[in-house]
């Protein structure tokens, strides 16, 4: 069963505007962790931001922030003041529960972001 | 900075051959992973490994096997490649904070396999 769903295949935005990428997830765990990663054109994948399920405050790092709506099992990524170099594929991910999972992540299908000058 | 190193970055081979990909991390992490990324960019976990435990994703064919000499190295061996094995194989490592996995993965640059 798919655990992390990103329905937006591709989004195009004009530089310096704000974009939101959607992600919904499924889990039976009472405590879980959600992440966003970025994959550049070179193939490099880097961690961007993380949300712990027990925290009510939305995480923010630089010009990345999250819109965490726990009742809807939703974790949106918001990028403000987009730049050309933000063009990449963005992956939403969820960490499996504790114990034997060794902290492995399940990823969504990714959303391609294209920032236009 | 790059701290998870994979070799080779590209490999082209024929059906039935054996292939190995090497991965080394210099971050001092205790857990490593292999992910497969297909042509549609889908990322799927294959193996999770630390020096005490190996978790194999149940969808991984038996021709795939991880090999580790120490916690800084996790290689991937494919005994007899099939056309559907063409993909990018990504190695990653992670660490624990206060005994709990942070979920923050550090990825290598990937090893692209093409099976003819």
């Amino acid at each position: 069963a798919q655990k992390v769903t990103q329905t937006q295949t591709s989004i195009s935005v004009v530089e310096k505007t704000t974009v939101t990428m959607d992600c919904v997830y499924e889990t039976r765990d009472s405590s879980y962790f959600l992440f966003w990663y970025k994959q550049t054109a070179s193939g490099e994948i880097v961690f961007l931001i993380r949300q712990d399920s027990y925290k009510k405050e939305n995480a923010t790092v630089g010009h990345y922030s999250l819109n965490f709506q726990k009742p809807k099992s939703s974790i949106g990524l918001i990028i403000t003041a987009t730049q050309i170099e933000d063009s990449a594929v963005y992956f939403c991910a969820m960490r499996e529960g504790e114990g034997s999972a060794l902290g492995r992540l399940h990823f969504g299908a990714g959303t391609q972001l294209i920032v236009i000058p | 900075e790059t701290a998870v190193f994979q070799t080779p970055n590209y490999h082209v081979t024929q059906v039935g051959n054996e292939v190995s990909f090497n991965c080394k991390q210099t971050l001092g992490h205790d857990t490593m992973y292999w992910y497969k990324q297909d042509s549609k960019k889908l990322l799927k976990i294959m193996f999770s490994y630390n020096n005490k435990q190996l978790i194999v994703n149940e969808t991984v064919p038996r021709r795939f096997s991880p090999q580790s000499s120490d916690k800084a190295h996790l290689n991937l061996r494919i005994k007899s490649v099939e056309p559907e094995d063409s993909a990018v194989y990504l190695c990653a490592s992670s660490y624990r904070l206060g005994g709990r996995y942070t979920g923050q993965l550090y990825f290598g640059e990937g090893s692209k396999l093409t099976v003819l």
Side-chain angles (χ1 to χ4, degrees):
Chain A
Q2 190 170 6
K3 293 188 177 184
V4 182
T5 304
Q6 295 177 253
T7 55
Q8 299 158 306
T9 305
S10 181
I11 302 175
S12 294
V13 298
V14 175
E15 189 180 13
K16 300 180 184 176
T17 61
T18 296
V19 64
T20 298
M21 284 175 267
D22 302 328
C23 176
V24 293
Y25 57 89
E26 301 171 30
T27 182
R28 295 179 183 175
D29 293 338
S30 57
S31 177
Y32 49 92
F33 301 85
L34 301 161
F35 308 84
W36 281 88
Y37 282 78
K38 171 184 177 181
Q39 185 171 35
T40 61
S42 68
E44 181 186 19
I45 301 178
V46 295
F47 164 79
L48 292 179
I49 193 169
R50 157 185 158 187
Q51 179 77 40
D52 299 350
S53 66
Y54 56 86
K55 291 186 177 178
K56 293 185 179 179
E57 309 80 36
N58 289 321
T60 298
V61 176
H63 75 144
Y64 303 107
S65 61
L66 297 178
N67 179 18
F68 180 42
Q69 299 184 56
K70 195 170 182 179
K72 295 183 179 181
S73 296
S74 170
I75 183 75
L77 174 68
I78 303 167
I79 307 177
T80 56
T82 51
Q83 303 162 10
I84 301 296
E85 51 266 34
D86 291 326
S87 296
V89 178
Y90 289 81
F91 291 97
C92 177
M94 180 175 67
R95 200 197 82 185
E96 279 194 19
E98 302 289 353
S100 63
L102 292 184
R104 60 186 184 172
L105 301 185
H106 290 278
F107 287 84
T111 297
Q112 171 84 55
L113 175 66
I114 301 167
V115 181
I116 305 165
Chain B
E1 79 280 12
T2 302
V4 180
F5 303 94
Q6 290 185 234
T7 58
N9 292 125
Y10 301 91
H11 189 78
V12 180
T13 190
Q14 294 188 328
V15 171
N17 285 348
E18 179 175 316
V19 172
S20 286
F21 295 116
N22 302 312
C23 180
K24 171 187 173 181
Q25 54 96 1
T26 58
L27 295 164
H29 293 169
D30 63 357
T31 304
M32 297 181 72
Y33 311 85
W34 277 104
Y35 280 84
K36 178 182 180 181
Q37 187 171 40
D38 63 21
S39 57
K40 296 181 180 179
K41 296 281 191 182
L42 292 174
L43 274 164
K44 294 201 173 171
I45 181 74
M46 299 179 73
F47 302 100
S48 310
Y49 181 78
N50 67 18
N51 60 354
K52 296 179 181 178
Q53 193 174 4
L54 169 66
I55 296 180
V56 182
N57 187 314
E58 60 273 9
T59 64
V60 174
R62 291 193 175 187
R63 60 181 179 276
F64 289 85
S65 59
Q67 298 171 324
S68 179
S69 56
D70 55 56
K71 71 174 188 177
H73 296 83
L74 184 66
N75 301 329
L76 178 65
R77 175 181 169 233
I78 313 173
K79 196 187 293 188
S80 176
V81 296
E82 298 285 341
E84 60 265 30
D85 298 338
S86 293
V88 176
Y89 292 88
L90 289 147
C91 177
S93 70
S94 186
Y95 62 98
R96 282 176 284 183
L97 204 59
R100 302 184 75 185
Y101 284 99
T102 64
Q104 185 167 344
L105 301 183
Y106 292 76
F107 283 90
E109 294 179 332
S111 297
K112 184 174 182 178
L113 174 65
T114 301
V115 181
L116 302 175

